[in-house]
Amino acid sequence: MDRREFALTVISPAAFTAVLFLLWELVCKVFAVPLTILPAPSDVFAALWQYRAPIVDNAWVTLWTTVAGFLIATVFGLALGIAIGWHRAIYAGIYPVLVGFNSIPKVAVVPVLILWFGIGEVPAVLTAFLISFFPIAVNVATGLATTEPELEDVLRALGASKLDIMKKVGIPRSLPYFFGSLKVAITLAFVGAVVSETVGANKGLGKLMLDAQASFQVPIVFAGLLVLAVLGILLYAATAIIETRFTGWAFRGGANR
Amino acid sequence: MAVGSTALSALVKLDRVSMAYGRGATAVRAIEEVSLEIAHGEFIAVVGPSGCGKSSLMKLISGLHPPLAGALTVEGRPVRGPVKSVGMAFQNSNLLPWRSALDNVLLPLEIVRPYRDEFRSNRKQYAQKAEELLGSVGLAGFAKKFPWELSGGMQQRASICRALIHEPEILMLDEPFGALDAFTREELWCTLRDLQAARKVTVMLVTHDLREAVFLADTVYVMSNRPGRIVKRCAVDIARPRDLDVTYTQPFQDIVHELRALIGGRH
């Protein structure tokens, strides 16, 4: 990393974040905003430090339920995407059902999941899964469906089966779509897990914030939000790194070498 | 591959073949009663106005699309599905961006029998063969490069190598040089000319560049507007090996003019 790039990728976001916090602090102090409405960053960080043990404990639960749901969504979404992209009849049959299912707000599904699996981590994992498999499936199917017909002709003329074409062209070709969708999916999975914890759970950041809010401990609520944001960035960055590692060829002149 | 005595035997035979896309009343006729023969080792070019069914003719002969009527045989056998002894290249090089030039050229060997069954054990040998082929079109030293690191002309050369690696009987080229600049195009004409001379492969070139057709082909077929019929078969009796200079001679120009008049359109 040369200096210019370092300034661009490290210093500039750090500076921007610092300025944002400073402005926030300033607004709270100048207008004397009550702690119960909007705590200043200094209060939030103080709460973060003071309650670090329960926060880490609950954040860990949110993190693993998110990742578990996301992993299930990855496997299922990939398989479903390949199935949809395989044949037009499957596409025509499944797609409307899928869109319908995706339109249901997942918040509405959580009570059903709790009914089935009880209060605990299972509904959170399942909500994370249900909310995040859709973009993966759709992206993989799109990648497969947009294979150049001429290239397919070249391979078919060689006697390639549908499976050959999928293995040699379709699936590698849809990988950038797949990895691209992981970035969207991981954020959605995170939202799903937290939403589920907010509706009904005995652990997790969502539950922690719900309890803090009920007892007017607003700095803890904001501390929870802050942790959520940081975790979200970390998860997104992790999938972005995986993406560039596996599909460097799609980013011309890529960072892959 | 046929040389000398068998050079006149027909490899591909079309007898009043018609072809249509779609079925029933909405079917679009692409080709109408086309009869032609391609001999072993012959280089034919098909020219005509755009949308005249030139590419359809290619799909037909390679077995990717069934004929509606008429008889179509390759090596004396009726065509009923993809003909494996065909290599194809198009205007777009269609190289796979995640594979190096070498791995792109090797792709057919991973698919065509009997090569695919021995691909793993013979990989080294195949790779060497592919490198030699790349070298013969002026791409020595570019085997490890990825498609985006190659110029348009180089990509097209690699694409032609991919079409030839499994030693097909027929090389089918659909406007392979259409997207290249004039100088690169002429360079590639010479590459193709030399490749064909060296390997004696049968070539079917679809193009709307008449100079290209006359320079490269033994026989040029002119097709009419859709539905495509063959309106003229023109043997190019210019001695081989042909040099690029030949394109500026009178006999060459005369043939091009004659073909141009047949294609029509506004001037």
Side-chain angles (χ1 to χ4, degrees):
Chain A
M1 208 187 293
D2 59 21
R3 275 173 72 181
R4 213 187 131 81
E5 206 176 309
F6 182 77
L8 205 69
T9 54
V10 178
I11 297 182
S12 127
F16 189 79
T17 314
V19 168
L20 203 67
F21 277 126
L22 271 176
L23 271 179
W24 177 3
E25 184 81 36
L26 216 63
V27 168
C28 289
K29 290 285 176 289
V30 169
F31 297 102
V33 183
L35 206 61
T36 45
I37 303 292
L38 178 68
S42 53
D43 304 319
V44 175
F45 282 113
L48 195 61
W49 182 249
Q50 190 185 346
Y51 298 100
R52 59 190 180 278
I55 286 175
V56 167
D57 195 28
N58 285 293
W60 167 245
V61 174
T62 303
L63 191 65
W64 84 251
T65 50
T66 300
V67 173
F70 169 74
L71 289 179
I72 302 173
T74 306
V75 175
F76 182 75
L78 188 61
L80 188 65
I82 291 174
I84 299 172
W86 194 274
H87 201 276
R88 290 198 47 166
I90 306 177
Y91 180 92
I94 293 184
Y95 205 77
V97 180
L98 214 56
V99 172
F101 180 82
N102 192 50
S103 313
I104 300 172
K106 297 301 169 294
V107 153
V109 184
V110 180
V112 180
L113 294 176
I114 293 175
L115 203 66
W116 287 348
F117 300 102
I119 296 268
E121 281 92 6
V122 181
V125 172
L126 288 179
T127 313
F129 156 64
L130 289 176
I131 204 171
S132 62
F133 80 85
F134 185 77
I136 300 177
V138 168
N139 269 278
V140 171
T142 308
L144 293 177
T146 50
T147 303
E148 294 86 348
E150 289 178 342
L151 190 54
E152 226 167 294
D153 279 354
V154 169
L155 297 179
R156 280 209 302 138
L158 296 171
S161 64
K162 184 84 187 168
L163 187 66
D164 286 333
I165 296 175
M166 277 287 172
K167 278 201 310 207
K168 301 289 180 198
V169 181
I171 292 171
R173 204 181 167 290
S174 63
L175 280 184
Y177 294 85
F178 169 68
F179 284 110
S181 72
L182 291 189
K183 289 192 292 195
V184 181
I186 190 79
T187 341
L188 284 175
F190 198 49
V191 170
V194 175
V195 159
S196 168
E197 287 163 2
T198 321
V199 174
N202 40 28
K203 264 201 154 170
L205 281 175
K207 167 74 172 153
L208 178 87
M209 285 159 62
L210 201 68
D211 291 348
Q213 179 230 8
S215 52
F216 284 100
Q217 286 178 296
V218 182
I220 301 183
V221 177
F222 275 84
L225 287 176
L226 209 61
V227 174
L228 285 179
V230 171
L231 283 181
I233 291 171
L234 290 179
L235 290 172
Y236 183 92
T239 46
I241 288 169
I242 293 173
E243 181 187 13
T244 37
R245 251 195 94 76
F246 282 95
T247 56
W249 58 266
F251 302 89
R252 307 252 146 141
N256 58 333
R257 269 158 303 128
Chain B
M1 227 144 279
V3 203
S5 62
T6 54
L8 288 174
S9 64
L11 175 64
V12 179
K13 222 173 183 174
L14 279 81
D15 188 18
R16 279 170 299 160
V17 171
S18 300
M19 172 187 156
Y21 290 105
R23 261 176 241 164
T26 56
V28 180
R29 285 249 167 169
I31 290 175
E32 192 79 38
E33 305 227 320
V34 165
S35 298
L36 63 84
E37 279 187 16
I38 310 174
H40 276 282
E42 190 181 1
F43 195 133
I44 76 151
V46 180
V47 298
S50 52
C52 71
K54 299 187 297 268
S55 304
S56 303
L57 194 59
M58 220 172 97
K59 276 198 172 175
L60 197 65
I61 296 175
S62 56
L64 290 173
H65 200 285
L68 191 68
L72 164 64
T73 57
V74 174
E75 293 177 301
R77 286 188 297 272
V79 173
R80 289 221 176 72
V83 182
K84 286 170 199 178
S85 49
V86 160
M88 294 173 119
F90 298 86
Q91 176 169 351
N92 188 332
S93 68
N94 281 316
L95 297 176
L96 304 177
W98 57 89
R99 284 172 171 242
S100 66
L102 181 75
D103 287 336
N104 264 295
V105 174
L106 285 173
L107 179 67
L109 299 185
E110 293 171 30
I111 289 169
V112 179
R113 282 175 212 288
Y115 303 103
R116 70 181 291 167
D117 306 318
E118 296 147 17
F119 190 80
R120 263 166 219 275
S121 47
N122 289 356
R123 208 197 130 95
K124 251 200 177 136
Q125 187 194 330
Y126 289 167
Q128 197 189 344
K129 186 175 160 184
E131 280 192 55
E132 277 166 21
L133 190 56
L134 282 168
S136 72
V137 298
L139 285 180
F142 288 93
K144 292 278 176 291
K145 297 278 185 200
F146 283 84
W148 74 79
E149 298 172 289
L150 303 175
S151 68
M154 288 167 146
Q155 289 181 19
Q156 215 52 44
R157 287 166 199 262
S159 170
I160 291 172
C161 288
R162 181 175 67 188
L164 282 172
I165 187 76
H166 59 295
E167 295 178 4
E169 288 285 343
I170 317 167
L171 176 61
M172 301 227 171
L173 304 169
D174 189 351
E175 292 180 25
F177 314 130
L180 304 174
D181 65 272
F183 301 117
T184 312
R185 196 179 309 157
E186 292 186 349
E187 230 173 77
L188 278 165
W189 291 355
C190 296
T191 307
L192 181 58
R193 172 199 65 193
D194 297 341
L195 263 181
Q196 199 262 341
R199 308 180 135 247
K200 309 283 181 227
V201 60
T202 310
V203 182
M204 175 174 168
L205 171 72
V206 166
T207 179
H208 43 223
D209 184 337
L210 298 177
R211 291 177 62 237
E212 179 174 299
V214 176
F215 176 67
L216 287 167
D218 300 312
T219 317
V220 179
Y221 292 90
V222 181
M223 286 183 82
S224 67
N225 261 317
R226 193 175 270 254
R229 300 167 184 275
I230 288 187
V231 292
K232 169 87 179 168
R233 176 183 186 279
C234 172
V236 181
D237 46 4
I238 298 174
R240 288 180 185 277
R242 295 173 192 163
D243 195 73
L244 263 185
D245 288 337
V246 88
T247 61
Y248 301 102
T249 61
Q250 200 53 50
F252 185 92
Q253 300 284 353
D254 289 344
I255 301 175
V256 173
H257 268 134
E258 189 195 339
L259 294 176
R260 184 68 190 84
L262 285 165
I263 288 172
R266 287 163 191 272
H267 293 268

